PDB file of all heavy atoms in Angstrom:
ATOM      1  N   ALA S  21     -21.243  20.910 -23.039  1.00  0.00           N
ATOM      2  CA  ALA S  21     -20.152  19.956 -23.243  1.00  0.00           C
ATOM      3  C   ALA S  21     -19.509  20.167 -24.617  1.00  0.00           C
ATOM      4  O   ALA S  21     -18.292  20.041 -24.779  1.00  0.00           O
ATOM      5  CB  ALA S  21     -20.672  18.526 -23.107  1.00  0.00           C
ATOM      6  N   ALA S  22     -20.346  20.512 -25.613  1.00  0.00           N
ATOM      7  CA  ALA S  22     -19.811  20.748 -26.956  1.00  0.00           C
ATOM      8  C   ALA S  22     -18.892  21.965 -26.972  1.00  0.00           C
ATOM      9  O   ALA S  22     -17.840  21.967 -27.633  1.00  0.00           O
ATOM     10  CB  ALA S  22     -20.957  20.923 -27.948  1.00  0.00           C
ATOM     11  N   GLU S  23     -19.282  23.024 -26.231  1.00  0.00           N
ATOM     12  CA  GLU S  23     -18.439  24.222 -26.173  1.00  0.00           C
ATOM     13  C   GLU S  23     -17.112  23.931 -25.490  1.00  0.00           C
ATOM     14  O   GLU S  23     -16.047  24.374 -25.949  1.00  0.00           O
ATOM     15  CB  GLU S  23     -19.179  25.329 -25.429  1.00  0.00           C
ATOM     16  CG  GLU S  23     -20.350  25.914 -26.211  1.00  0.00           C
ATOM     17  CD  GLU S  23     -21.178  26.878 -25.381  1.00  0.00           C
ATOM     18  OE1 GLU S  23     -21.111  26.797 -24.131  1.00  0.00           O
ATOM     19  OE2 GLU S  23     -21.890  27.711 -25.976  1.00  0.00           O
ATOM     20  N   LEU S  24     -17.143  23.191 -24.415  1.00  0.00           N
ATOM     21  CA  LEU S  24     -15.905  22.812 -23.728  1.00  0.00           C
ATOM     22  C   LEU S  24     -15.036  21.933 -24.621  1.00  0.00           C
ATOM     23  O   LEU S  24     -13.814  22.097 -24.681  1.00  0.00           O
ATOM     24  CB  LEU S  24     -16.230  22.065 -22.429  1.00  0.00           C
ATOM     25  CG  LEU S  24     -16.704  22.923 -21.254  1.00  0.00           C
ATOM     26  CD1 LEU S  24     -17.266  22.036 -20.147  1.00  0.00           C
ATOM     27  CD2 LEU S  24     -15.545  23.764 -20.720  1.00  0.00           C
ATOM     28  N   ALA S  25     -15.680  21.015 -25.340  1.00  0.00           N
ATOM     29  CA  ALA S  25     -14.926  20.123 -26.219  1.00  0.00           C
ATOM     30  C   ALA S  25     -14.241  20.911 -27.330  1.00  0.00           C
ATOM     31  O   ALA S  25     -13.081  20.661 -27.664  1.00  0.00           O
ATOM     32  CB  ALA S  25     -15.866  19.064 -26.809  1.00  0.00           C
ATOM     33  N   ALA S  26     -14.959  21.895 -27.900  1.00  0.00           N
ATOM     34  CA  ALA S  26     -14.373  22.714 -28.958  1.00  0.00           C
ATOM     35  C   ALA S  26     -13.232  23.578 -28.414  1.00  0.00           C
ATOM     36  O   ALA S  26     -12.189  23.743 -29.064  1.00  0.00           O
ATOM     37  CB  ALA S  26     -15.449  23.585 -29.593  1.00  0.00           C
ATOM     38  N   GLU S  27     -13.415  24.112 -27.227  1.00  0.00           N
ATOM     39  CA  GLU S  27     -12.400  24.972 -26.619  1.00  0.00           C
ATOM     40  C   GLU S  27     -11.113  24.203 -26.335  1.00  0.00           C
ATOM     41  O   GLU S  27     -10.005  24.709 -26.522  1.00  0.00           O
ATOM     42  CB  GLU S  27     -12.957  25.573 -25.324  1.00  0.00           C
ATOM     43  CG  GLU S  27     -12.086  26.634 -24.693  1.00  0.00           C
ATOM     44  CD  GLU S  27     -12.231  27.991 -25.351  1.00  0.00           C
ATOM     45  OE1 GLU S  27     -13.312  28.266 -25.922  1.00  0.00           O
ATOM     46  OE2 GLU S  27     -11.262  28.756 -25.307  1.00  0.00           O
ATOM     47  N   LEU S  28     -11.253  22.961 -25.890  1.00  0.00           N
ATOM     48  CA  LEU S  28     -10.091  22.170 -25.481  1.00  0.00           C
ATOM     49  C   LEU S  28      -9.648  21.181 -26.550  1.00  0.00           C
ATOM     50  O   LEU S  28      -8.694  20.418 -26.332  1.00  0.00           O
ATOM     51  CB  LEU S  28     -10.421  21.414 -24.185  1.00  0.00           C
ATOM     52  CG  LEU S  28     -10.769  22.305 -22.983  1.00  0.00           C
ATOM     53  CD1 LEU S  28     -11.201  21.453 -21.797  1.00  0.00           C
ATOM     54  CD2 LEU S  28      -9.588  23.182 -22.602  1.00  0.00           C
ATOM     55  N   GLU S  29     -10.360  21.161 -27.671  1.00  0.00           N
ATOM     56  CA  GLU S  29     -10.005  20.307 -28.809  1.00  0.00           C
ATOM     57  C   GLU S  29     -10.004  18.826 -28.442  1.00  0.00           C
ATOM     58  O   GLU S  29      -9.064  18.085 -28.735  1.00  0.00           O
ATOM     59  CB  GLU S  29      -8.640  20.714 -29.385  1.00  0.00           C
ATOM     60  CG  GLU S  29      -8.621  22.150 -29.915  1.00  0.00           C
ATOM     61  CD  GLU S  29      -7.277  22.541 -30.507  1.00  0.00           C
ATOM     62  OE1 GLU S  29      -6.312  21.779 -30.324  1.00  0.00           O
ATOM     63  OE2 GLU S  29      -7.200  23.600 -31.142  1.00  0.00           O
ATOM     64  N   VAL S  30     -11.084  18.405 -27.761  1.00  0.00           N
ATOM     65  CA  VAL S  30     -11.271  16.993 -27.428  1.00  0.00           C
ATOM     66  C   VAL S  30     -12.710  16.628 -27.769  1.00  0.00           C
ATOM     67  O   VAL S  30     -13.501  17.471 -28.190  1.00  0.00           O
ATOM     68  CB  VAL S  30     -11.001  16.723 -25.930  1.00  0.00           C
ATOM     69  CG1 VAL S  30      -9.534  16.989 -25.588  1.00  0.00           C
ATOM     70  CG2 VAL S  30     -11.919  17.566 -25.047  1.00  0.00           C
ATOM     71  N   SER S  31     -13.076  15.369 -27.573  1.00  0.00           N
ATOM     72  CA  SER S  31     -14.432  14.934 -27.882  1.00  0.00           C
ATOM     73  C   SER S  31     -15.379  15.260 -26.730  1.00  0.00           C
ATOM     74  O   SER S  31     -14.956  15.479 -25.592  1.00  0.00           O
ATOM     75  CB  SER S  31     -14.447  13.415 -28.136  1.00  0.00           C
ATOM     76  OG  SER S  31     -14.158  12.717 -26.951  1.00  0.00           O
ATOM     77  N   VAL S  32     -16.674  15.276 -27.041  1.00  0.00           N
ATOM     78  CA  VAL S  32     -17.686  15.509 -26.007  1.00  0.00           C
ATOM     79  C   VAL S  32     -17.638  14.393 -24.963  1.00  0.00           C
ATOM     80  O   VAL S  32     -17.797  14.636 -23.760  1.00  0.00           O
ATOM     81  CB  VAL S  32     -19.088  15.598 -26.644  1.00  0.00           C
ATOM     82  CG1 VAL S  32     -20.175  15.633 -25.564  1.00  0.00           C
ATOM     83  CG2 VAL S  32     -19.182  16.823 -27.545  1.00  0.00           C
ATOM     84  N   ARG S  33     -17.417  13.168 -25.425  1.00  0.00           N
ATOM     85  CA  ARG S  33     -17.314  12.046 -24.473  1.00  0.00           C
ATOM     86  C   ARG S  33     -16.184  12.278 -23.486  1.00  0.00           C
ATOM     87  O   ARG S  33     -16.322  11.991 -22.287  1.00  0.00           O
ATOM     88  CB  ARG S  33     -17.103  10.739 -25.241  1.00  0.00           C
ATOM     89  CG  ARG S  33     -16.928   9.522 -24.327  1.00  0.00           C
ATOM     90  CD  ARG S  33     -16.791   8.243 -25.114  1.00  0.00           C
ATOM     91  NE  ARG S  33     -18.031   7.909 -25.785  1.00  0.00           N
ATOM     92  CZ  ARG S  33     -18.202   6.797 -26.498  1.00  0.00           C
ATOM     93  NH1 ARG S  33     -17.200   5.947 -26.637  1.00  0.00           N
ATOM     94  NH2 ARG S  33     -19.359   6.559 -27.073  1.00  0.00           N
TER      95      ARG S  33
END
Side-chain angles (χ1 to χ4, degrees):
E23 289 172 339
L24 284 168
E27 188 80 27
L28 299 175
E29 298 181 349
V30 295
S31 67
V32 172
R33 178 177 292 183

